[in-house]
Amino acid sequence: LDIGDVIWQRQVCTYMSFILQLKKMNMFIKNSSFFDKLKNKKIILCVNVKGYFRELEQKYHVLNRVAFVVDNYDRKQGYTECEEYRFPVYSFDYLNNINIDNYLILITSEYYEEVYRQVEGMFPDHINTTIYYYADARIHYYNYYRNLFKNKPLENKIIFCSGARKAYNIESGEFDDNSLALFEYMLENKLNTTYQLVWVVLNPEKYKQKYSKYENVSFLPYRWSESKDINERRTYYVNICLAKYFFFTQATDIATHRREGQIRVQLWHGQGIKSRALFTHDEYRYEYMTVMSEKYGDMHAEIFGLRKDQILVTGNPKQDWLYHPFDKGIFEVLEIPKADKYVFWLPTMRDSKAESFGDKTIYSDTGLTILESKQQLDRINKLLNGWNMVLIIKQHPFEKYDLRVANLYSNIVVLNNDMLSNRNININQLLGYADALISDYSSAAIDYMLLDRPIAFAIPDLDVYKSSRKLHFDNLDEWLPGIQITTESQFCDFIKEVRDGVDSGKKLRQNAFNKLGKWRDDNNCKRVLEALHII
């Protein structure tokens, strides 16, 4: 295969016609003659992706011809910079303000079909223009092999992925969450004798030995999708192009497009009370999404632009772990002291490693809300010690800064992401031992609600947080499955309630479960597989 830079073109027409033409009309561009033929036109880049811009400039030196960029995400609008160039970024609506005949429209996204539908919708039917698509190396290979294998039957092969290709450089994101819970359920029930189970990860060697005893289990590195080694590349795409099912948790980039008959399932991270920065609103990215209840099904259908028939109300696979925690010997490994009762505190991300989240930094001596000084933690630790209780603080995996209280207290334990990921531990595999949970805006609290144990919400920064991250509920008081705490005194009162077996938030929790929940059992993995007729 002679890898070139591919530009796909199609006269503006209906979506289905575009799909068919994409498969037929592809041109391999070996030099810059394509751009030379259209040298009198300014370029509009569709979607603000700097990696694509950089590649275009390196190979064709055309960024000096770019007039502006269009992108429908608010956070990506304004201005963007690449190399020495700076471009304004508008919403797609801006295309209505220009004479399109003066411009070359170039899609710069791996989700080119999705972007095409958005761009094409900006023009009236009587306007006849041409929209082009630039493919980077990975998408070029993907399209090549998808066409190569188009007549080969799909196999009993299931692809698993957790997190985006780069996973924000957090390795634990590649092998975790709902995808991992479903995978391990399939192994426990010997479904690997019927299906080949394939994980796409950054570092296959990290997992091969643990699962070497299982037949039909393999691990593929992401990098093979662009490998110069034809055997590695072919192995990767044989799996991607012949698999019947894809399960992913968040990013869908291992299967941006599909062959007919392939089923892609978005397991997501879970359902909580906060929204996120960049939701993709498109029903064609995958065939199904799993949720824990009808209420969340309605919410996610609206948020993600899905049809109701794409929603599977099965429960989240990783919620099953709450009922089957790790052997408690793991506490010794994690250096968690023995105690009469354990309270877990799971602060959500405030200052992210990923710029797109836009969360607010906590400016405190401890890196925590409410207990912002070491003196406050000293007082809490003294109470915990006297009551033979332990507070376990688990930091969010995407948090930029480490908590500044680790290893300072006898009865306060800080767990960071590496401590758990290096041992392949998900927090839900520990929460079964929690006598109570302190959360804030995280979906972990909604998961933990299923165990029907006390929950408190440490949300002193609610107004600030809402300005950065949207919440699913305006009237939050009516939806939280637990009491709110905003001061050190209230924090202490909650700890004391746990010590005394008092559950003042029980009615709140039951009210929230009646609205947001459906099952309190460990059969979510089974329901997912049954809904898809895998079992």
Side-chain angles (χ1 to χ4, degrees):
L1 175 65
D2 182 8
I3 175 62
D5 300 272
V6 184
I7 294 187
W8 302 72
Q9 72 171 40
R10 174 58 192 149
Q11 296 295 325
V12 172
C13 54
T14 64
Y15 165 60
M16 285 309 299
S17 180
F18 171 66
I19 296 291
L20 294 172
Q21 291 297 331
L22 272 179
K23 293 177 181 177
K24 297 174 183 176
M25 299 177 60
N26 59 84
M27 301 184 301
F28 296 90
I29 307 303
K30 301 293 193 301
N31 51 51
S32 60
S33 61
F34 168 79
F35 292 102
D36 292 340
K37 291 176 184 177
L38 299 168
K39 62 184 177 181
N40 295 325
K41 295 196 174 201
K42 283 285 193 178
I43 298 173
I44 300 171
L45 300 178
C46 298
V47 184
N48 185 359
V49 183
K50 290 184 181 179
Y52 275 81
F53 301 170
R54 231 174 264 117
E55 201 168 300
L56 278 170
E57 178 62 13
Q58 290 170 357
K59 295 184 178 179
Y60 299 116
H61 308 292
V62 294
L63 290 190
N64 63 322
R65 291 175 51 187
V66 173
F68 57 88
V69 180
V70 290
D71 196 302
N72 267 355
Y73 285 126
D74 292 344
R75 295 186 184 221
K76 290 191 173 185
Q77 294 168 12
Y79 285 90
T80 188
E81 296 181 356
C82 184
E83 305 296 338
E84 70 269 29
Y85 300 99
R86 188 170 188 258
F87 314 115
V89 185
Y90 307 113
S91 71
F92 283 6
D93 293 337
Y94 191 78
L95 296 173
N96 293 320
N97 303 327
I98 64 173
N99 181 353
I100 201 64
D101 292 334
N102 297 330
Y103 295 92
L104 161 62
I105 302 178
L106 183 60
I107 296 174
T108 48
S109 168
E110 59 191 338
Y111 298 101
Y112 55 83
E113 294 172 359
E114 175 183 311
V115 176
Y116 174 84
R117 290 192 293 273
Q118 298 176 57
V119 175
E120 186 266 345
M122 295 293 104
F123 305 117
D125 293 339
H126 68 275
I127 292 182
N128 187 28
T129 189
T130 303
I131 298 173
Y132 298 88
Y133 165 61
Y134 174 74
D136 65 2
R138 189 182 70 87
I139 293 300
H140 170 63
Y141 285 134
Y142 188 7
N143 290 333
Y144 169 80
Y145 284 104
R146 191 164 52 123
N147 183 65
L148 183 67
F149 297 128
K150 65 183 179 181
N151 295 321
K152 192 171 178 60
L154 299 178
E155 299 176 354
N156 277 349
K157 191 186 298 285
I158 299 176
I159 306 291
F160 293 88
C161 176
S162 179
R165 255 193 339 271
K166 295 180 181 178
Y168 301 109
N169 296 317
I170 298 175
E171 195 170 276
S172 64
E174 68 177 1
F175 192 68
D176 194 12
D177 220 275
N178 285 310
S179 292
L180 180 57
L182 193 63
F183 167 72
E184 293 195 335
Y185 175 88
M186 295 188 73
L187 291 181
E188 290 168 7
N189 289 274
K190 297 182 172 52
L191 293 175
N192 57 307
T193 60
T194 304
Y195 294 90
Q196 297 180 55
L197 309 182
V198 182
W199 271 90
V200 183
V201 294
L202 292 170
N203 182 12
E205 299 305 319
K206 184 175 178 179
Y207 315 105
K208 283 182 178 179
Q209 183 175 355
K210 178 179 178 180
Y211 295 97
S212 60
K213 64 181 179 181
Y214 296 101
E215 62 178 314
N216 293 326
V217 172
S218 57
F219 295 85
L220 288 175
Y222 281 119
R223 66 179 182 276
W224 282 9
S225 64
E226 302 176 47
S227 175
K228 301 301 182 184
D229 185 314
I230 192 170
N231 293 321
E232 291 179 349
R233 195 170 65 239
R234 185 180 178 88
T235 298
Y236 181 90
Y237 288 105
V238 162
N239 282 280
I240 296 296
C241 295
L242 300 185
K244 282 186 180 178
Y245 297 95
F246 295 82
F247 289 107
F248 33 72
T249 308
Q250 186 190 347
T252 61
D253 47 12
I254 60 168
T256 47
H257 313 284
R258 72 175 186 121
R259 290 181 55 196
E260 184 175 354
Q262 289 185 318
I263 296 175
R264 299 165 297 179
V265 184
Q266 174 63 273
L267 299 174
W268 203 236
H269 297 297
Q271 285 78 60
I273 62 175
K274 68 178 179 180
S275 183
R276 64 171 293 196
L278 302 177
F279 276 122
T280 299
H281 196 83
D282 193 285
E283 66 184 88
Y284 298 103
R285 278 209 177 181
Y286 39 83
E287 285 57 64
Y288 297 105
M289 170 178 271
T290 60
V291 295
M292 65 180 286
S293 67
E294 282 79 5
K295 176 62 178 177
Y296 274 117
D298 292 341
M299 291 167 57
H300 280 224
E302 181 178 355
I303 290 168
F304 291 94
L306 305 178
R307 305 183 311 273
K308 293 296 179 67
D309 64 324
Q310 291 180 270
I311 299 295
L312 303 180
V313 183
T314 58
N316 299 317
K318 69 177 179 181
Q319 290 172 337
D320 291 353
W321 279 332
L322 294 167
Y323 299 93
H324 304 281
F326 265 127
D327 184 281
K328 204 168 185 178
I330 195 65
F331 275 37
E332 185 175 346
V333 175
L334 295 173
E335 299 183 2
I336 300 172
K338 293 181 180 179
D340 291 337
K341 292 195 175 180
Y342 296 93
V343 177
F344 280 64
W345 186 4
L346 308 182
T348 195
M349 172 179 54
R350 293 315 202 286
D351 195 21
S352 171
K353 296 176 183 177
E355 293 179 2
S356 61
F357 284 103
D359 296 285
K360 303 298 183 183
T361 304
I362 294 179
Y363 295 101
S364 75
D365 292 338
T366 63
L368 297 166
T369 59
I370 299 183
L371 307 181
E372 297 182 350
S373 72
K374 291 185 170 67
Q375 291 78 12
Q376 289 175 299
L377 282 175
D378 287 339
R379 292 192 288 268
I380 293 294
N381 187 68
K382 185 176 180 180
L383 287 178
L384 293 167
N385 185 269
W387 295 339
N388 196 27
M389 299 175 67
V390 169
L391 176 65
I392 301 170
I393 305 174
K394 163 59 174 66
Q395 188 173 13
H396 191 282
F398 284 170
E399 188 67 50
K400 182 183 292 186
Y401 301 107
D402 289 333
L403 293 178
R404 295 176 283 281
V405 296
N407 304 316
L408 297 180
Y409 299 96
S410 61
N411 290 65
I412 300 175
V413 176
V414 176
L415 301 178
N416 63 35
N417 199 60
D418 290 342
M419 293 170 67
L420 299 188
S421 67
N422 290 338
R423 298 172 175 87
N424 294 325
I425 300 171
N426 182 278
I427 189 61
N428 275 14
Q429 294 170 308
L430 297 178
L431 283 180
Y433 293 114
D435 295 284
L437 175 68
I438 299 172
S439 184
D440 40 34
Y441 313 101
S442 173
S443 62
I446 303 301
D447 285 351
Y448 187 75
M449 177 179 66
L450 304 187
L451 294 181
D452 198 23
R453 299 175 193 170
I455 305 174
F457 290 85
I459 50 176
D461 59 344
L462 177 59
D463 291 338
V464 175
Y465 196 86
K466 283 195 296 187
S467 70
S468 173
R469 293 287 292 273
K470 295 179 180 179
L471 302 181
H472 290 316
F473 311 107
D474 293 328
N475 50 339
L476 194 58
D477 293 348
E478 299 179 17
W479 296 93
L480 287 181
I483 63 173
Q484 298 181 40
I485 55 178
T486 60
T487 66
E488 179 188 351
S489 176
Q490 291 172 335
F491 195 100
C492 293
D493 289 343
F494 179 70
I495 298 292
K496 186 175 184 297
E497 283 191 359
V498 177
R499 181 200 69 174
D500 296 338
V502 176
D503 190 359
S504 61
K506 188 173 182 63
K507 287 185 178 179
L508 293 171
R509 193 168 62 251
Q510 188 59 56
N511 179 59
F513 181 82
N514 291 340
K515 296 176 181 179
L516 301 175
K518 185 164 186 175
W519 292 284
R520 276 196 168 110
D521 63 29
D522 60 349
N523 293 319
N524 295 336
C525 290
K526 180 180 180 183
R527 279 188 285 267
V528 171
L529 298 177
E530 287 177 339
L532 297 165
H533 306 292
I534 292 175
I535 58 173

